Amino acid sequence: GNPFNYFTQGVVCTEVEIDVLSGNHRTLQSDLLVDVGASINPAIDIGQIEGAFVQGMGWSTIEEVTYADDDHTWIRPRGSLFTSGPGTYKIPAFNDVPETFNVSLMDNVDNPFAVHSSKAIGEPPFFLGASVFYAIKDAVTAARSQNLGQTSYFEMRMPATSERIRMYCADPLASQAVSRMRSQENSIESFQPQGSY
């Protein structure tokens, strides 16, 4: 097809480390390569890309939205948003940024249909931040392989909060807790953690 004039794309490779006992994760390294056309100001473009990446990383790993619903009956009135401020809604901080964070702009990708051959880059790198979620899922898959002896598909829901990572790893303690809670054997394999609240 014919994408719009500011059509852009990018790729990212992310490495994470998870603590299977606490559920915490560290983003060790993220390497991004983004097509921004002929950059008018590379420093601003790289800053925009870094900001969008960190925002997407937060959205997919720590920013949990909680409403008053059947699972959260203690929140009043029904339908209201509980996580509406900095006391209840966690956003990325300085220590959440990848420890090694490399952003590169593609060369020789002029865009003859736009102003000075540029492309839009404010929001497109946002979803590249989800690479942190998928790197966490790969690490959790390795933990599940060790703890359950299998690497079969499992559904892992966003955001990948510490509580969810801890339970998804399915170690013996988590398995015992879920089995008692559900009164079933092997229920950890399909268990879906509900999050922080």
Side-chain angles (χ1 to χ4, degrees):
N2 295 314
F4 58 95
N5 291 341
Y6 282 100
F7 184 79
T8 186
Q9 55 198 335
V11 294
V12 61
C13 181
T14 296
E15 178 184 359
V16 300
E17 178 180 85
I18 63 170
D19 181 335
V20 297
L21 294 178
S22 69
N24 290 333
H25 78 278
R26 289 176 41 215
T27 305
L28 302 176
Q29 182 167 339
S30 290
D31 298 297
L32 290 80
L33 176 62
V34 183
D35 170 11
V36 298
S39 177
I40 296 170
N41 187 329
I44 290 176
D45 288 344
I46 289 172
Q48 287 286 96
I49 291 165
E50 289 172 342
F53 179 87
V54 171
Q55 184 182 7
M57 177 188 70
W59 168 74
S60 64
T61 61
I62 60 176
E63 296 180 22
E64 186 169 19
V65 179
T66 305
Y67 290 93
D69 57 15
D70 290 339
D71 292 329
H72 307 96
T73 56
W74 50 272
I75 304 171
R76 300 277 187 232
R78 186 169 175 81
S80 64
L81 178 63
F82 175 70
T83 49
S84 60
T88 55
Y89 187 77
K90 185 177 179 187
I91 60 173
F94 293 116
N95 61 338
D96 295 315
V97 175
E99 294 174 18
T100 303
F101 198 8
N102 300 310
V103 177
S104 300
L105 306 179
M106 291 181 67
D107 292 327
N108 302 317
V109 285
D110 292 344
N111 181 12
F113 304 105
V115 177
H116 297 288
S117 293
S118 65
K119 293 186 178 183
I121 55 99
E123 287 79 23
F126 174 87
F127 195 69
L128 295 178
S131 67
V132 176
F133 171 82
Y134 290 107
I136 290 170
K137 185 174 181 184
D138 282 346
V140 168
T141 299
R144 289 172 71 92
S145 173
Q146 184 177 1
N147 293 326
L148 299 174
Q150 62 183 20
T151 57
S152 58
Y153 170 82
F154 68 99
E155 180 182 348
M156 185 168 169
R157 298 178 184 166
M158 286 184 183
T161 60
S162 295
E163 296 87 356
R164 289 181 175 169
I165 293 170
R166 169 72 179 93
M167 295 306 289
Y168 279 126
C169 285
D171 69 319
L173 185 59
S175 297
Q176 184 180 15
V178 171
S179 293
R180 284 192 181 176
M181 183 177 68
R182 291 179 143 192
S183 302
Q184 301 173 27
E185 289 292 325
N186 301 325
S187 58
I188 189 73
E189 295 169 12
S190 61
F191 178 69
Q192 281 296 331
Q194 297 302 312
S196 302
Y197 299 101

